[in-house]
Amino acid sequence: WYTPIQYIDMAREVMGGIDLDPASSDRAQEAIQAVQYFTERDNGLLRDWSGRVWLNPPYSQPAIHQFAEKVVREVSTGRVSEAIMLTHNYTDTAWFHVAESIADAICFTRGRIRFVSPSGEVAAPTQGQTFFYYGPNVDRFRSVFRSAGFVR
């Protein structure tokens, strides 16, 4: 399921571009246009990350937890200079607390993001989403993502 373009554009506006999308597909890159991306076949969890990262990880377990740990690790080492991760707003899960542990800002969406399937179907999710921001441009993130929900 693909993220609607307006959210990709918002991430690009905050970070000035997207260097890496570590959980992607060829089709998703038509919109994301990252300098580099990893598909399921490439296994982004086993690769080094760097630069400005856009991450919409698989939401299944254990992948979502593994990607949350990976983004935190890569930001903590300084290899990733800035990142935005989009997930469901499951605040009661262990992976959510891992992701939030070093986030510089978080946006809880107003309403639910209607992801698009490869065949063009629009999803009707049963929960809202969260954007985690890691990086130095917190004020810019707040300004840009305020239109999507409330930012803390």
Side-chain angles (χ1 to χ4, degrees), residues 47-146:
R47 308 279 186 133
D48 288 335
W49 298 3
S50 63
R52 301 164 296 180
V53 172
W54 163 259
L55 175 59
N56 182 0
Y59 290 177
S60 61
Q61 283 290 3
I64 194 166
H65 194 110
Q66 293 166 333
F67 274 99
E69 289 176 330
K70 178 74 170 177
V71 74
V72 165
R73 190 167 48 254
E74 295 292 327
V75 168
S76 295
T77 64
R79 285 189 293 269
V80 167
S81 57
E82 204 168 6
I84 295 176
M85 179 171 70
L86 169 60
T87 69
H88 289 313
N89 62 6
Y90 290 166
T91 60
D92 61 328
T93 62
W95 65 259
F96 191 97
H97 288 265
V98 167
E100 149 316 294
S101 68
I102 68 161
D104 293 293
I106 297 175
C107 173
F108 291 94
T109 60
R110 181 181 306 101
R112 298 168 184 159
I113 294 177
R114 301 201 51 169
F115 296 92
V116 180
S117 79
S119 66
E121 289 177 75
V122 176
T126 58
Q127 66 287 315
Q129 286 73 39
T130 302
F131 291 93
F132 297 86
Y133 175 72
Y134 309 91
N137 295 314
V138 173
D139 290 340
R140 187 168 186 83
F141 176 82
R142 284 189 177 123
S143 174
V144 171
F145 276 83
R146 186 167 286 130

